[in-house]
Amino acid sequence: MNDAQTIAVKVAAIEQVTPLIKHFTLEPIDGGELPAFSGGSHVIVVMRTETRIHRNPYSLLSSPKRLGAYEIGVRRMEESRGGSHFMHDTLQVGSALEIAHPVNLFGLAKNARKHVLIAGGVGITPFLAQLADLRDAGVPYEMHYSVRSPEHAAFSNRLRELAPNRLSIYYDSQNQAIDFDRLLSTQPLGTHVYVCGPAGMIERVKTGARDYGWPSSHVHWEQFSAPPTGAAFDVFLARTKLTVHVPPDRSLLESIEAAGVEVPYLCRGGVCGFCRTRVLELDGELVHNDHFLSDAEKAKGASVMPCVSRARCKSLVLDL
Ligand code: FES
């Protein structure tokens, strides 16, 4: 994926759906339809500010059956590096944007005999499109949604329409919590579980599923987190013969892109493996923040995922 493949869209509607989440409707600038997608897909939104370009992934929450517009939900992040603040504070109805084509790294398993969907906070967004797919699929499913309080329960009305009798909402403010042990220990064989939300919730589901003997192929998770910050360093790109400075608040990938060098990507979150780049020389250590490389590959240090990983080093040479 690179910016040459983006689609020009305009903001058709903005709605504040919780104190922290805005709901954006994006329509193609030239009218017509947007590319088809399946539930669980995300798009990268390209945000051009005066000083830098942000490329953030957001799940598509609209029905895959309606392609006249895409809908996304954006949580305002207090620790934002600028992307979510741009979406919340700068965009207005009519603003132009670019988005990349949808990619699905969190699709529903076609052979599942049941689907258990678990969301925390803004992690509900990919499930809205999946529920639209599941409603007609004839396979049992249930949706569990955990939020701080009723005012933070984004899209609850839409969820009640999409999943009547299959939806459970849990409010922290009322001391309600998902019973992960019960949920993970009582499912029929062939069930797949999907989780999107805070890191602690994802870890709880992954650990619980492993403890209760779920095959890892039946456990699906998605987490879009901003690339971690860290100390500044320089990288030399051997093929393009460029030295690139990576400041503390920019990822290695963003810094390379800002220098005009394209690196393929899909998720920009350390999951898909698409941005994997060969390390040719290193004096120092890599800071691997991805979920793609194995521990052995990380220890070997022969490649790095520049979307989320960094280096603490005197010098780093990449095969770019
Ligand atoms: S773009 Fe997916 S791992 Fe880097």
Side-chain angles (χ1 to χ4, degrees):
M1 192 72 61
N2 59 52
D3 288 357
Q5 298 163 302
T6 57
I7 306 163
V9 294
K10 66 172 186 288
V11 179
I14 304 175
E15 185 189 0
Q16 184 91 42
V17 289
T18 76
L20 292 174
I21 299 174
K22 278 189 173 179
H23 171 204
F24 295 85
T25 303
L26 310 175
E27 290 179 352
I29 233 151
D30 302 329
E33 292 203 331
L34 290 160
F37 69 98
S38 51
S41 298
H42 73 269
V43 291
I44 302 284
V45 176
V46 183
M47 299 163 239
R48 296 182 193 277
T49 71
E50 277 176 17
T51 53
R52 63 187 290 184
I53 300 175
H54 298 277
R55 296 175 178 84
N56 286 9
Y58 295 109
S59 297
L60 294 177
L61 62 88
S62 39
S63 167
K65 298 187 183 75
R66 292 193 311 104
L67 297 176
Y70 288 159
E71 296 171 52
I72 57 173
V74 179
R75 185 187 194 280
R76 185 183 178 88
M77 308 300 287
E78 282 325 310
E79 302 288 309
S80 171
R81 298 171 323 126
S84 77
H85 288 188
F86 174 88
M87 295 294 291
H88 271 251
D89 303 337
T90 307
L91 285 189
Q92 298 177 345
V93 172
S95 295
L97 268 182
E98 293 159 60
I99 57 172
H101 285 245
V103 169
N104 199 344
L105 302 172
F106 192 52
L108 291 166
K110 295 208 173 6
N111 58 350
R113 299 178 66 184
K114 180 180 175 186
H115 303 278
V116 175
L117 316 179
I118 303 172
V122 74
I124 192 63
T125 51
F127 295 120
L128 287 153
Q130 289 185 340
L131 288 169
D133 280 341
L134 282 172
R135 205 163 43 164
D136 308 320
V139 177
Y141 62 93
E142 52 191 73
M143 174 83 243
H144 300 266
Y145 180 26
S146 171
V147 289
R148 244 188 256 183
S149 64
E151 69 167 348
H152 286 277
F155 310 109
S156 53
N157 288 341
R158 191 183 290 205
L159 282 167
R160 288 192 183 95
E161 278 170 30
L162 283 168
N165 310 319
R166 296 169 186 266
L167 171 69
S168 303
I169 304 184
Y170 307 78
Y171 302 115
D172 296 347
S173 62
Q174 297 174 19
N175 293 322
Q176 298 167 344
I178 298 174
D179 184 346
F180 291 106
D181 286 316
R182 188 195 61 77
L183 209 53
L184 294 168
S185 63
T186 56
Q187 300 302 332
L189 273 182
T191 302
H192 283 239
V193 64
Y194 309 79
V195 57
C196 183
M201 172 183 268
I202 293 173
E203 206 43 49
R204 180 72 187 79
V205 172
K206 284 164 71 177
T207 309
R210 192 186 58 223
D211 292 349
Y212 286 111
W214 289 59
S216 59
S217 59
H218 288 33
V219 181
H220 313 265
W221 53 274
E222 182 159 79
Q223 183 185 22
F224 291 132
S225 46
T229 55
F233 61 99
D234 288 341
V235 55
F236 182 69
L237 310 183
R239 276 190 270 150
T240 35
K241 302 202 177 355
L242 269 181
T243 297
V244 174
H245 181 65
V246 184
D249 64 340
R250 284 200 196 190
S251 71
L252 180 51
L253 176 60
E254 289 168 329
S255 306
I256 294 169
E257 289 171 337
V261 178
E262 282 184 358
V263 180
Y265 64 81
L266 287 182
C267 71
R268 300 181 78 89
V271 174
C272 71
F274 228 66
C275 69
R276 184 175 188 156
T277 301
R278 231 158 42 99
V279 175
L280 300 179
E281 285 175 39
L282 172 68
D283 181 0
E285 59 173 350
L286 296 169
V287 182
H288 293 287
N289 295 310
D290 65 275
H291 304 282
F292 184 82
L293 296 173
S294 66
D295 288 346
E297 287 172 319
K298 287 178 182 174
K300 195 170 169 201
S303 52
V304 67
M305 320 302 283
C307 62
V308 290
S309 296
R310 309 179 61 86
R312 275 190 289 261
C313 62
K314 284 195 193 130
S315 74
L316 170 65
V317 182
L318 294 181
D319 185 22
L320 286 171

